Amino acid sequence: MATRRQALGVLTGAAGLSFWGAGAEAAGADEVIVPFELTHDRAWTIVKFNGHGWYKLIIDTGADKFSLDDKICKEIGLTRRSSDEMIGATGAAYMNTYLAQTVSIANVVSDPNALVIGLNGGLEDGLQGLIPGALLDNVLFDFVQKRMHLSHKRPSGLQGFSVVPYVKLGNGSSGSMSHVRETSPFPYVRAEVDGRPVTLRVDTGAPEAAYLYASYVDRAGLWDKYKGARETQVGGITSHVSAARLVKAESLKLGDIVFAAPRIALQDPKDKAINDYDMNGEAYIDGLIGIESLRRLDLAIVPSEGCLYVRKNAMFDDVQRINRAGLIVRSVNDKPTAVWVYQGGPAWAAGIREGDIINGYAGGDGTIAGLDWKLSGPPGDQIDLQFTHDGQSKQVSFKLVEAE
C-alpha cells in the first residue's frame, strides 16, 4: 500500500502525490493546502474513491487506514481483499477490506492503491468514513480558517508555538520500556490531568475533550474521585458503546497550554474493551485527547521531528461542548431515537425516555449531529423538541443545565 507519507515524499515526482488544478491551493513547492469543514466537533472534507463521490470523510489522526461505509464500497465496486481489525476509541471489530486504485482528497491530493476499511455504522448524518491522519506527513491544522497544510518538510510559520514531544510506548504509563513500539504511526504525547502524567493519543476523530481508558481510571482510582460525576455513554466507529462518567477535572495540560476545568470522560473500569495493549496484556496508553480540545489550538503534527507544535487560537475560550441535556440520540432502524436518557436530567424531566422517536427540533440543521451540538450548548439554552412516546406525539421545551 502506498501511504500518504510515502506520497508526500515525492512531491515533484511522476508518481505518488498529485496536484489538481481545481480547488488546489499551494503555499510553495513543498506544501499544499486542503480545505475542510468543522461542524459539530467533526473536521471533515470531501473524498473520491476510484472517481466515485464526493463522500464526506472525517480527518482522523487516530486512524491508520482509509475507511468508507461498507455499502458504498460494494456499490462502487472497490476490489475486496479480506477482513481486518478496526480499532476505535471504545472497542474493535473485524470489517471488510478493499483496495482503491485512487483516492482523491478535496480535489487537492490523491493517493494510489489505498487500503480501505468497510465501515458498518458508527457514523451519523452523512459522514461516511475516515481519512487516516496517522498516515499524513507533516501537517498543520488551522481550525479557525479550516485549512490543513500538508508538507514533506517542517511546516512554516511555527513561531510562537510550544513544543510537545512524542513519547515512545512501553508497558503502561509508568515508563517501563520492555516492549517499545518504535514505529507507531499515531502521535502519542505526554500530558497532565490534574497534575498526573498521562500518555494520550492525539485523536482529531474523537469528539471528547479527553477520554481516559478503563485501565488508567482503575489504576489511578478516578472512578469515584470526582463529585458531581454524570453518567453517560461513549461510542465509536466500531459501534461498540462504553459506559462512562463525565467529570469536571481541575486542569488538562498539553505542553505549555492549560485547559482550565475541562469536562473529561472516564471509561467504566469494568469495561476492558479497549485494545491499546502490549503483548503482555498491559495498557500502554492512558486515553486520548480529542477535537473538543484540539480545535482550540493551532496544531502542527510533525513526525519528522517527533513532536507536536501547539498554540492557542481564537476558539480557545469557547464554551466547552458537553451534553447538558442528559439525552443521546442515534439512528435506530433509520429513525432518530433516544438511546440513553439520564434520569434526573433536563430531558428526563421533560418526559423523554429511552426508545422515544425524536421527530424534530428547533434552531438547527435537522441532523442528529446538529441536535447533539445543540444539546451541548451553554447552560440556560432552551431546547425545543418534538418526539413520539408510546405512539403519542409530544412537544416539549427545557433548558440546559451545567454539570457539577
Side-chain angles (χ1 to χ4, degrees):
M1 174 183 175
T3 68
R4 292 238 24 265
R5 179 168 296 171
Q6 293 167 332
L8 282 164
V10 288
L11 279 171
T12 58
L17 185 68
S18 301
F19 286 76
W20 295 67
E25 296 183 68
D30 297 321
E31 181 177 290
V32 294
I33 299 174
V34 177
F36 63 86
E37 293 295 327
L38 183 61
T39 54
H40 313 136
D41 264 352
R42 296 290 194 182
W44 58 271
T45 192
I46 53 175
V47 179
K48 283 185 177 180
F49 291 82
N50 290 357
H52 298 276
W54 300 96
Y55 304 111
K56 295 180 180 180
L57 269 64
I58 296 171
I59 302 167
D60 186 0
T61 58
D64 63 352
K65 299 178 181 68
F66 284 98
S67 66
L68 183 64
D69 185 276
D70 195 66
K71 292 180 180 178
I72 297 175
C73 292
K74 293 174 181 176
E75 288 172 358
I76 65 178
L78 295 187
T79 303
R80 172 78 191 281
R81 293 285 300 273
S82 59
S83 63
D84 197 2
E85 187 179 36
M86 187 73 167
I87 299 174
T90 57
Y94 277 90
M95 299 181 181
N96 292 332
T97 63
Y98 301 86
L99 183 67
Q101 281 71 44
T102 59
V103 179
S104 172
I105 303 175
N107 229 22
V108 177
V109 295
S110 66
D111 219 1
N113 301 319
L115 188 66
V116 181
I117 300 287
L119 290 183
N120 293 305
L123 298 177
E124 299 282 352
D125 299 304
L127 295 171
Q128 296 155 304
L130 307 172
I131 295 171
L135 298 184
L136 300 175
D137 204 51
N138 302 312
V139 55
L140 171 61
F141 287 97
D142 183 338
F143 288 108
V144 175
Q145 298 296 323
K146 293 179 287 188
R147 290 149 57 104
M148 181 170 62
H149 301 244
L150 302 178
S151 174
H152 64 75
K153 293 185 177 180
R154 181 180 188 271
S156 58
L158 295 181
Q159 296 81 6
F161 285 67
S162 62
V163 180
V164 184
Y166 284 9
V167 296
K168 295 180 180 180
L169 303 178
N171 291 336
S173 61
S174 63
S176 171
M177 302 302 291
S178 63
H179 179 53
V180 179
R181 291 168 56 92
E182 298 273 1
T183 59
S184 171
F186 301 112
Y188 294 107
V189 295
R190 185 76 77 188
E192 292 182 8
V193 174
D194 293 348
R196 302 183 193 88
V198 289
T199 299
L200 303 179
R201 176 185 290 169
V202 179
D203 194 342
T204 58
E208 294 83 15
Y211 180 50
L212 299 180
Y213 291 164
S215 56
Y216 178 79
V217 172
D218 186 32
R219 188 170 65 250
L222 300 184
W223 188 243
D224 295 314
K225 173 182 172 59
Y226 293 94
K227 295 181 179 179
R230 179 179 294 180
E231 305 298 321
T232 188
Q233 293 182 339
V234 175
I237 57 172
T238 60
S239 298
H240 179 83
V241 176
S242 179
R245 283 182 177 173
L246 189 66
V247 302
K248 183 179 180 180
E250 295 177 3
S251 65
L252 169 63
K253 184 178 180 182
L254 180 65
D256 294 335
I257 306 294
V258 178
F259 300 90
R263 307 291 179 156
I264 63 175
L266 308 178
Q267 188 188 28
D268 190 331
K270 297 177 182 177
D271 191 339
K272 299 292 186 180
I274 296 300
N275 282 272
D276 286 306
Y277 293 93
D278 66 20
M279 63 184 181
N280 297 315
E282 296 186 39
Y284 58 77
I285 73 169
D286 303 319
L288 56 84
I289 181 169
I291 199 168
E292 179 57 21
S293 294
L294 299 174
R295 70 179 176 88
R296 302 164 187 273
L297 307 174
D298 295 325
L299 171 68
I301 300 175
V302 189
S304 62
E305 298 182 10
C307 66
L308 306 180
Y309 288 85
V310 293
R311 180 178 65 185
K312 296 179 182 179
N313 68 23
M315 295 189 289
F316 187 80
D317 292 322
D318 285 359
V319 63
Q320 184 175 338
R321 313 298 299 212
I322 61 170
N323 191 309
R324 294 183 169 91
L327 170 64
I328 295 177
V329 177
R330 293 293 178 261
S331 180
V332 178
N333 297 323
D334 296 325
K335 295 181 180 180
T337 304
V339 298
W340 179 84
V341 186
Y342 174 62
Q343 187 169 352
W348 177 277
I352 301 172
R353 299 294 183 266
E354 290 185 16
D356 289 352
I357 306 301
I358 308 302
N359 300 316
Y361 62 96
D365 60 9
T367 67
I368 293 177
L371 176 57
D372 286 345
W373 191 249
K374 286 191 66 65
L375 297 179
S376 66
D381 273 11
Q382 179 169 307
I383 305 296
D384 300 309
L385 283 178
Q386 297 100 30
F387 68 100
T388 299
H389 176 78
D390 288 341
Q392 294 186 341
S393 180
K394 299 184 178 184
Q395 182 168 333
V396 295
S397 297
F398 58 85
K399 291 187 177 182
L400 303 179
V401 299
E402 187 62 278
E404 293 296 330

